[in-house]
Every structure is written in C-alpha cells, then in structure tokens.
C-alpha cells in the first residue's frame, strides 16, 4: 500500500496474470483520506499496451474509487523484468467538483500547488504456473495423482464447454420461436384488418342493394295503382 497525505493506494504494484493472446486486468483502489474533494489522474509509460478506466476522476471525501487497468493481448512473451510503469497524481479540487471540471492545469506544480505522485511498477505472473512434482515420482513420469487431477480439470472444462454450447443452442431456439410468434401475430393482425375492410364493403353493398330494391318496388306499386285507377275511370 502507498500512503500519502491526500489518498492511499492499494496495491503498490500492478500484478497481471500473463497468458499469450489473452487480455489481463487488475484493479487499484484509491482511498480519500481527507474531508476535501480529491482529483486524480493516471498515466503510463506504455499507453498503447494498457487501458485505464477511469484514467481520471474525483474521489469524494472519505470515499473510495476503483481503477481498472487492462493489458491488451500480447503476441510475444514478456521480458524477465517489465519496465512499464504507472504514475498516479492527486490534487485537492474545489468542493462539489466533478470529473468534467478536471483540467490538465490542475496537476501542474505551480503557485505552491501540492500534487501527490505515486509510481507503480508492473509485474507479470504466469497464468498457469507449473505444479510441483511430488517426491518419490520418477523423472519424466507424471505422478498418478497429478494425472488424475489434470483429467478431472479437463473433464470439468469439457462439461462447462458442453453446458455453454447447450445454453447457446437453447437461446437460439428461444429467439427463433419468439421471432416466429411475432411474425404470426403480425400476419393475424393483418388478416384481421383485411377481414374488417371486406365486411365494411359488404355492409355498404347490402345497404345499396336494399335501397335500389325499395325504389323499384315503389315505382311498380305506383304504376299498378295508376293502371287500376285508369281502368275504373273508364268504366265509370
């Protein structure tokens, strides 16, 4: 742990489990020891190799901020001693300040401004360290217990992989079923809309036919009455 007047930092070293072609991350905890707002900024000697989130921010009075450092996947083995380093700067910020109020000028050591600096070195740890060989085993021949343990690990790995594949298949089937149901619902709604339109047209057609039939019957009735009246008039 690195301790200053403004913040304390844990751990004092960045330890990355190293494995070729795989990313690796570690966390740094910043603790504000004061009753003031503290602004911080993280720098590294190799910015293309590491990603820091957040790389700057505000630590509230008496609170803690976690910073995650991610090392990009490496194609080659690292040197025996890594020369990458990180620098964490901290300075008192105005009360109520947010990360938007942080400027590069805040970390300039001018006009008596106190800027605390902590340097963190990088250490690589083998992701899969070799297991020690028990005493009494023959050279070049792995112990039975180790073989059994390794076999169990492989079996567990295969079970996990199989479980993940089954989960992916079930998820894919579920999404397919949901998509199919959605399409069927849309089709049913479209058919319902079409049927309503056809019913409305049929109602209008029936109304027109009834109106035309009534008019024709009325004309025929008037005509018959006229003929009957004319016949009666002639006889009289």
């Amino acid at each position: 742990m690195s301790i200053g007047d403004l913040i304390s930092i844990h751990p004092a070293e960045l330890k990355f489990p190293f494995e070729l072609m795989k990313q690796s991350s570690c966390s740094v905890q910043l603790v504000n020891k004061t009753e003031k707002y503290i602004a911080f900024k993280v720098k590294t000697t190799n910015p293309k190799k590491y990603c820091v989130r957040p790389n700057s921010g505000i630590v509230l009075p008496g609170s803690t901020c976690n910073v995650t450092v991610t090392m990009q996947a490496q194609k080659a083995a690292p040197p025996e001693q890594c020369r990458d380093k990180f620098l964490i700067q901290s300075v008192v910020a105005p009360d109520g300040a947010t990360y938007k109020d942080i400027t590069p000028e805040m970390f300039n050591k001018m006009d008596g401004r106190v800027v605390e600096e902590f340097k963190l070195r990088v250490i690589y740890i083998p992701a899969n360290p070799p297991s020690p060989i028990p005493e009494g085993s023959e050279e070049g021949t792995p112990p039975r217990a180790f073989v059994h343990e390794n076999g169990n690990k492989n079996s567990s790995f295969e079970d996990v992989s199989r479980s993940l594949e089954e989960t992916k298949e079930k998820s894919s089937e579920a999404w397919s079923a949901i998509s199919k149901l959605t399409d069927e619902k849309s089709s049913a709604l479209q058919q319902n809309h079409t049927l309503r339109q056809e019913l409305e047209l049929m109602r209008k057609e029936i109304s027109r036919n009834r109106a035309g039939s009534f008019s024709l019957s009325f004309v025929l009735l008037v005509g018959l009455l006229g003929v009957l009246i004319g016949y009666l008039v002639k006889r009289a």
Side-chain angles (χ1 to χ4, degrees):
M1 177 182 294
S2 298
I3 301 176
D5 295 332
L6 302 179
I7 62 174
S8 60
I9 300 175
H10 179 79
E13 298 174 334
L14 297 178
K15 297 181 179 181
F16 293 93
F18 187 88
E19 190 171 357
L20 289 177
M21 305 305 295
K22 286 189 178 182
Q23 286 187 348
S24 180
S25 299
C26 65
S27 296
V28 180
Q29 189 178 70
L30 311 182
V31 181
N32 186 349
K33 300 167 51 182
T34 71
E35 297 180 356
K36 301 178 181 180
Y37 284 68
I38 302 298
F40 72 89
K41 186 176 183 180
V42 184
K43 298 180 179 180
T44 178
T45 57
N46 198 341
K48 293 183 178 180
K49 187 176 180 179
Y50 302 96
C51 177
V52 183
R53 289 292 180 274
N55 59 0
S56 62
I58 297 291
V59 187
L60 301 180
S63 64
T64 301
C65 178
N66 290 322
V67 177
T68 301
V69 183
T70 302
M71 180 179 65
Q72 305 301 325
Q74 301 297 303
K75 298 180 180 179
E80 294 183 0
Q81 184 175 2
C82 180
R83 296 183 179 181
D84 298 337
K85 291 181 176 59
F86 283 80
L87 176 66
I88 300 180
Q89 297 177 305
S90 59
V91 65
V92 176
D95 290 343
T98 65
Y99 73 96
K100 295 182 180 180
D101 300 320
I102 298 177
T103 61
E105 290 74 15
M106 295 177 63
F107 301 94
N108 291 336
K109 298 178 181 179
M110 298 174 60
D111 301 330
R113 183 184 292 115
V114 177
V115 180
E116 283 190 351
E117 295 183 344
F118 297 92
K119 293 182 180 180
L120 308 179
R121 67 171 183 158
V122 175
I123 298 177
Y124 295 143
I125 303 174
N128 298 313
S131 300
I133 301 176
E135 296 180 0
S137 62
E138 296 181 1
E139 185 178 356
T141 304
R144 293 182 179 180
F146 175 76
V147 173
H148 179 69
E149 181 183 356
N150 192 31
N152 289 338
K153 289 183 178 179
N154 291 335
S155 177
S156 300
F157 179 76
E158 291 176 358
D159 293 340
V160 172
S161 300
R162 190 180 302 108
S163 177
L164 289 174
E165 291 177 359
E166 292 176 355
T167 302
K168 289 181 180 178
E169 291 178 359
K170 291 180 180 179
S171 178
S172 178
E173 292 175 358
W175 278 112
S176 298
I178 292 173
S179 178
K180 184 178 180 180
L181 290 174
T182 303
D183 294 340
E184 291 178 355
K185 180 180 177 181
S186 301
S187 178
L189 291 174
Q190 183 66 27
Q191 292 179 0
N192 188 17
H193 182 69
T194 303
L195 288 174
R196 287 184 179 181
Q197 289 181 340
E198 293 179 355
L199 285 174
E200 188 66 25
L201 291 175
M202 289 178 65
R203 288 176 183 173
K204 292 181 179 179
E205 187 69 23
I206 291 172
S207 298
R208 286 198 297 267
N209 292 338
R210 287 180 178 177
S213 176
F214 175 77
S215 300
L216 180 60
S217 300
F218 182 75
V219 171
L220 291 175
L221 180 59
V222 171
L224 289 174
L225 288 175
V227 171
L228 181 60
I229 293 172
Y231 176 75
L232 293 174
V233 169
K234 287 182 180 182
R235 289 191 62 180

